Amino acid sequence: QVQVVESGGGSVQAGSPLTLSCTIIGNPPSINYQVGWFRQVPGKEREGIVSIYTGDGDAQYVDSAKGRFTISLHNTYKNTVLLQMNSLKPEDAAMYYCAADRRSGNWDLFTPRRYNYWGQGTQVTVSS
């Protein structure tokens, strides 16, 4: 059983930063995961934006996320992933989901079907 728990969403002004957190809870704790962040607005498909492998911190970004979004591994908690979002824009407002997959490899990183385990999502609202 694997649990994915997101936190850190909220309501911010345009131009502000926000950090989302995703913790993967599995057994044994030593297992590594490919962890992806997705976002979705009503009426649109879920969009992959960034992915990281907890085993080595290798991170991949979609072009639209490069420069403003940074994904990293927590310094202390191995299976906690942080998504730092800077200079937020109203168009960044969405439900943000974290997802995990025990299989490694840079394939379909931004495709929802790649991931087996999903969190409930955390809402990000950006006002202009």
Side-chain angles (χ1 to χ4, degrees):
Q1 184 76 11
V2 176
Q3 286 182 279
V4 179
V5 182
E6 306 106 331
S7 64
S11 182
V12 298
Q13 295 281 333
S16 299
L18 192 66
T19 299
L20 305 182
S21 177
C22 172
T23 297
I24 314 300
I25 304 169
N27 189 23
S30 59
I31 288 180
N32 293 310
Y33 297 90
Q34 189 71 43
V35 179
W37 277 101
F38 291 76
R39 63 186 183 184
Q40 190 172 24
V41 296
K44 292 193 174 181
E45 292 187 354
R46 197 164 291 190
E47 171 194 21
I49 52 177
V50 61
S51 186
I52 191 168
Y53 183 57
T54 63
D56 58 11
D58 180 48
Q60 302 294 326
Y61 299 81
V62 296
D63 287 344
S64 61
K66 293 177 182 177
R68 293 192 300 122
F69 291 10
T70 303
I71 193 169
S72 62
L73 302 179
H74 193 284
N75 286 336
T76 303
Y77 303 109
K78 173 178 171 294
N79 283 341
T80 293
V81 170
L82 304 176
L83 178 63
Q84 172 72 42
M85 304 185 293
N86 294 319
S87 303
L88 282 166
K89 304 175 182 179
E91 52 264 42
D92 293 317
M95 184 70 81
Y96 282 71
Y97 295 92
C98 183
D101 180 12
R102 287 181 174 176
R103 299 164 295 179
S104 61
N106 288 354
W107 52 275
D108 288 349
L109 292 177
F110 308 119
T111 304
R113 66 171 180 262
R114 160 68 193 268
Y115 299 89
N116 306 112
Y117 309 103
W118 289 83
Q120 294 299 308
T122 186
Q123 182 70 44
V124 173
T125 303
V126 184
S127 56
S128 57

